[in-house]
Amino acid sequence: MEPDRFDTAHRPWPLPVLPWIMKQTWRNLLFAHWPVPAEELRAYVPKELPLDTFEGSAWLAVVPFRMTDIRLRGLPPIPGTSRFPELNVRTYVTIHDKPGVYFFSLDAAHTLAVKLARWLYHLPYYRADMGVTVQNETVFYRSERRQGGPAFAARYRPVSAPYTAQPGSLEHWLTERYCLYTLNGSRDVLRCDIHHRPWPLQKAEAELYENTMLTGNGLPFVPDVPPLFHYAEALEVRIWPLLKAADRMP
């Protein structure tokens, strides 16, 4: 996916005018999604960020994966910093008709990455002890935030051929999002644009041995419905600078 060969027909808005600044690949990714009442989730998302809903429901997700091939534009990967596991807890918001992701937390197994992401992107990153093993198509994933924080342990695997979610479907609404939103210390809304090809989704099965990622982040939700699982083998991503949403072009 070279800079002058982007496929953008699937995007809901044009690419940013500014050049991208970082490349990474997301691998062995699991989406575990639960519906939650929007009126109950509203209190846990900054008031500056309007919740996005699908047919009246908000959704929470726990997303474990591996990041690889991390590098800044024009530079080779820096040894020791180009790959590590990550686990995020997220929901969905939208501003100016641009649907995006809001993160309650992001756990990573790399101290420098945690510090840089907190500083440069105002994101709630945490250092965790993590391990990922892939045997055939089955992923064994574990994460425990340091200082006794929330933990996650699971086994998951794809159970269908890859496919592209259809526009208008819940799968498309959950996954095809091309920015994240966060706030700085002055409560300015910030947006970071990303770009990738449509998600190569697969149906998935998973067993969650341990999952305190919701309650461990202060979210009083213990879903009583089975999660919706999807898997993605690999997706290459480009990332743009973080700017005030009001100043973002286009």
Side-chain angles (χ1 to χ4, degrees), residues 94-147:
T94 185
I95 294 179
H96 305 315
D97 296 322
K98 294 179 173 61
V101 175
Y102 173 74
F103 292 105
F104 294 102
S105 69
L106 306 97
D107 288 43
H110 197 288
T111 301
L112 179 60
V114 168
K115 292 180 177 179
L116 288 176
R118 278 184 167 268
W119 175 48
L120 294 174
Y121 279 86
H122 299 277
L123 291 172
Y125 264 86
Y126 298 90
R127 181 67 167 89
D129 295 315
M130 310 174 81
V132 185
T133 302
V134 183
Q135 297 178 3
N136 298 321
E137 289 190 318
T138 300
V139 182
F140 298 88
Y141 199 106
R142 62 170 183 83
S143 174
E144 184 173 2
R145 192 177 299 171
R146 292 185 172 179
Q147 287 80 50

Side-chain angles (χ1 to χ4, degrees), residues 138-231:
T138 300
V139 182
F140 298 88
Y141 199 106
R142 62 170 183 83
S143 174
E144 184 173 2
R145 192 177 299 171
R146 292 185 172 179
Q147 287 80 50
F152 179 87
R155 173 194 60 81
Y156 57 89
R157 69 184 185 95
V159 293
S160 78
Y163 65 94
T164 300
Q166 293 299 307
S169 68
L170 174 59
E171 295 168 309
H172 188 275
W173 183 90
L174 291 170
T175 59
E176 293 298 328
R177 291 175 177 266
Y178 293 86
C179 69
L180 66 86
Y181 292 101
T182 189
L183 273 64
N184 61 16
S186 301
R187 307 297 293 183
D188 298 312
V189 176
L190 310 177
R191 187 174 108 225
C192 171
D193 284 274
I194 69 170
H195 181 68
H196 52 73
R197 294 188 173 94
W199 277 95
L201 295 177
Q202 295 174 263
K203 302 291 187 182
E205 67 174 20
E207 184 175 358
L208 307 185
Y209 303 118
E210 183 177 14
N211 179 25
T212 57
M213 298 307 301
L214 300 183
T215 56
N217 277 298
L219 298 168
F221 298 98
V222 181
D224 58 359
V225 296
L228 183 64
F229 292 126
H230 294 91
Y231 178 85

Side-chain angles (χ1 to χ4, degrees), residues 62-82:
V62 175
V63 184
F65 62 104
R66 296 188 303 120
M67 287 210 295
T68 68
D69 311 313
I70 304 167
R71 67 172 178 83
L72 297 174
R73 185 180 182 126
L75 297 176
I78 300 173
T81 65
S82 64

Side-chain angles (χ1 to χ4, degrees), residues 42-64:
R42 176 66 271 179
Y44 299 93
V45 176
K47 60 181 177 58
E48 293 87 351
L49 302 177
L51 274 181
D52 203 356
T53 60
F54 187 88
E55 297 182 351
S57 289
W59 286 76
L60 283 171
V62 175
V63 184

